[in-house]
Amino acid sequence: MKFVSTRGQTEPHSFLEAVKVGLAPDGGLFVPESLPDLSGELRSWAGKSYPELCAAFFRHFATDIPESELKELIVDAYSRFDHKEYAPLVKLDAKIDVLELFHGPTLAFKDFALQLLGKFYERQVALSGESINVLGATSGDTGAAAISGLLGKPGVNIFILYPDGRVSPLQERQMTCTEASNVYPLCVTGSFDDAQAALKEVFGDKAYSQSVRLSAVNSINLARILAQCVYYIYAWLQLPEAIREKTTFVVPTGNFGNVLAGWMASQMGMNVAGFRVATNQNDILDRFFSSGNYSVGDVEPSLAPSMDIQIASNFERFLYYTTGEDAAKTRETMSEIKERKAFSCEDTEVLHSMSSSRMGDAEIRETISSVYERFGYVVDPHTACGFKDLDTLEHCVILSTAHPAKFPNVVEETLGQTSTHPSLDALKMHDIIKFPLPSEANSIKEFIASKQ
Ligand SMILES: *Cc1c(COP(=O)(O)O)cnc(C)c1O
């Protein structure tokens, strides 16, 4: 299998090449040359363990990794999950299931992708004999998950920029209390957008980034999307056959990465009733799916910070598929969005391909309480956004993207009880090691160079 760019101006790449470069050289995102039709095979995967299912799925894509090695790598990637089912499906009532995606080492769904991505990087370094420096910026969960996925890997240094004072204390601890010598949490001045801008400038210096073999860890990497397809299929296979096609997956969304993965699985043959994009008050995607109006506003910090995003980077892949894989059209729309910070869509087929909802902060608090009262089940503020207008759905699977213990303050304020997790408690025993820097490309470049 080869991978092409959504903008159509990049030579086809092998899986490992596409994973290594992340963003396609023409500025687009990598997608499979063609989506395989798995409809014949899917049902036969029922009963497989999570790693077995993941290996069966990746066989179709990671064709440049020998099969036995791929299996071993996947088993290893998921060995640090603390639940024997990895992604357990919890029934709240006849119409609502919750897919718990928070049993990985950093207690958020991003572990599914980043533990695996860490193994791909490790293999790449071992094969090429060349060390790499991984650089990313985070508003919290991605940084923690990326650090955890690359912790202690030989030949890999990881540098994560995060805005000083703007990530939660527990997220900061997850990044800074690892005591691993290859981890550099860089706490930078300003906002997440400032950090992101500095990071872009560092990568923009091609001579520099090549000289230190810099690699980006962000939400657009192809391997992340594919890794996320697997838990949708895993959940779908656990539903009774008669319900599968009546099920809507409800997905708390920011960058559009998570829900896009499910939608891609459906394009490969996983038949479902649909997908619902659940946003917080940063509702660009809800506005798009309800009115066709995609216009980038300012980010308003919310109780669900990992969804405080206005530019949904994975949206480009959706545009590509819904234009019938038309790279020229995708290029056109992306440049329109870049120039006008907006575009509008009148194609009802596209707009009806997903439904959407929005939840403000007050409603997030009310929902955490009402879900607890109704089901005795504690949800985190991101997952809470999924519990909106469920009456209109015949059956749904709500993706739970983080463990409530990651957001103890909101949970305590609303339920009057604390939510804890042993792995978070254990962090408090370790010293915080972080490196304060200005949000400025030159300082970051000097810092990385000094660690070679
Ligand atoms: C990252 C994150 C999200 C949003 O995921 P996207 O792929 O950006 O849609 C939702 N919830 C939590 C807890 C997250 O960490």
Side-chain angles (χ1 to χ4, degrees):
M1 169 78 78
K2 291 280 186 193
F3 296 85
V4 296
S5 165
T6 48
R7 301 197 187 173
Q9 294 173 327
T10 292
E11 287 293 300
H13 279 48
S14 77
F15 176 76
L16 287 171
E17 284 165 354
V19 168
K20 188 175 131 199
V21 287
L23 191 69
D26 62 7
L29 310 187
F30 281 110
V31 285
E33 201 168 39
S34 63
L35 289 180
D37 177 5
L38 304 178
S39 48
E41 215 174 335
L42 270 182
R43 282 172 185 77
S44 73
W45 290 347
K48 280 190 188 294
S49 71
Y50 194 91
E52 284 167 356
L53 176 68
C54 186
F57 180 79
F58 267 86
R59 275 306 323 131
H60 290 272
F61 302 97
T63 47
D64 49 355
I65 303 180
E67 191 165 345
S68 60
E69 218 181 303
L70 181 65
K71 269 192 186 149
E72 205 176 303
L73 183 148
I74 291 171
V75 167
D76 239 26
Y78 293 120
S79 62
R80 295 169 62 209
F81 279 56
D82 70 4
H83 196 289
K84 64 180 192 328
E85 285 169 51
Y86 303 84
L89 194 62
V90 175
K91 193 164 218 32
L92 296 189
D93 70 13
K95 289 175 66 176
I96 307 174
D97 285 283
V98 172
L99 182 64
E100 292 186 347
L101 299 176
F102 52 68
H103 294 283
T106 72
L107 313 183
F109 83 91
K110 293 187 173 76
D111 288 326
F112 278 93
L114 286 164
Q115 291 293 319
L116 191 55
L117 190 62
K119 297 303 293 182
F120 289 134
Y121 276 128
E122 184 177 24
R123 186 174 179 281
Q124 170 73 25
V125 168
L127 281 184
S128 70
E130 284 190 322
S131 63
I132 55 167
N133 292 290
V134 175
L135 174 63
T138 186
S139 55
D141 286 332
T142 301
I147 285 173
S148 170
L150 293 169
L151 207 63
K153 299 235 182 293
V156 183
N157 284 324
I158 174 154
F159 302 86
I160 294 291
L161 309 174
Y162 68 94
D164 191 12
R166 310 235 187 148
V167 302
S168 84
L170 279 173
Q171 286 172 329
E172 181 172 47
R173 282 201 169 269
Q174 285 186 317
M175 292 189 276
T176 59
C177 296
T178 63
E179 293 177 2
S181 59
N182 69 331
V183 171
Y184 301 96
L186 308 179
C187 112
V188 297
T189 49
S191 69
F192 172 67
D193 290 338
D194 298 329
Q196 190 80 24
L199 173 125
K200 277 208 177 125
E201 208 183 320
V202 175
F203 277 105
D205 184 344
K206 291 276 183 305
Y208 174 84
S209 68
Q210 279 169 14
S211 74
V212 295
R213 286 182 303 278
L214 212 53
S215 181
V217 61
N218 52 33
S219 71
I220 50 90
N221 197 295
L222 165 83
R224 287 183 68 174
I225 300 294
L226 293 176
Q228 292 172 179
C229 293
V230 177
Y231 49 69
Y232 284 92
I233 299 173
Y234 185 70
W236 187 81
L237 287 171
Q238 286 178 63
L239 297 171
E241 281 215 51
I243 296 202
R244 290 176 188 166
E245 292 186 12
K246 296 177 181 161
T247 294
T248 298
F249 280 100
V250 180
V251 191
T253 294
N255 248 321
F256 205 64
N258 200 358
V259 68
L260 178 86
W263 185 82
M264 281 175 68
S266 76
Q267 302 300 299
M268 297 180 220
M270 182 189 78
N271 283 332
V272 292
F275 292 87
R276 182 183 282 175
V277 175
T279 72
N280 63 20
Q281 64 198 17
N282 295 293
D283 59 357
I284 180 167
L285 290 167
D286 178 43
R287 282 183 278 124
F288 176 74
F289 284 106
S290 55
S291 71
N293 171 27
Y294 187 95
S295 66
V296 181
D298 290 328
V299 171
E300 305 251 356
S302 80
L303 292 176
S306 300
M307 289 155 53
D308 288 347
I309 285 167
Q310 282 286 346
I311 302 171
S313 19
N314 273 291
F315 194 65
E316 179 165 349
R317 287 190 168 103
F318 180 69
L319 284 174
Y320 174 79
Y321 284 114
T322 51
T323 54
E325 310 191 10
D326 185 337
K329 192 96 188 287
T330 307
R331 272 202 311 276
E332 209 176 284
T333 308
M334 289 312 294
S335 73
E336 186 181 343
I337 294 176
K338 195 171 168 198
E339 273 163 37
R340 289 185 36 226
K341 298 254 177 277
F343 97 104
S344 63
C345 171
E346 276 149 30
D347 185 337
T348 46
E349 203 180 316
V350 173
L351 299 177
H352 290 161
S353 61
M354 290 189 196
S355 61
S356 65
S357 67
R358 169 196 198 275
M359 197 180 274
D361 275 356
E363 212 179 336
I364 289 178
R365 288 183 197 277
E366 281 161 28
T367 303
I368 294 174
S369 303
S370 65
V371 169
Y372 185 69
E373 274 163 29
R374 221 173 127 195
F375 306 112
Y377 188 75
V378 181
V379 290
D380 94 288
H382 301 81
T383 306
C385 294
F387 283 79
K388 173 114 181 180
D389 296 340
L390 297 180
D391 293 343
T392 58
L393 303 176
E394 195 168 348
H395 175 258
C396 68
V397 172
I398 301 174
L399 271 57
S400 179
T401 53
H403 193 289
K406 278 196 104 165
F407 304 92
N409 297 348
V410 190
V411 173
E412 190 167 353
E413 284 157 22
T414 44
L415 300 182
Q417 65 179 52
T418 49
S419 176
T420 58
H421 190 281
S423 78
L424 294 175
D425 295 339
L427 289 174
K428 295 176 188 149
M429 317 279 283
H430 297 282
D431 291 335
I432 290 181
I433 298 172
K434 61 180 175 183
F435 304 87
L437 279 185
S439 253
E440 198 247 330
N442 279 333
S443 317
I444 295 162
K445 286 197 242 178
E446 274 168 31
F447 184 88
I448 296 173
S450 75
K451 301 298 170 195
Q452 305 307 306

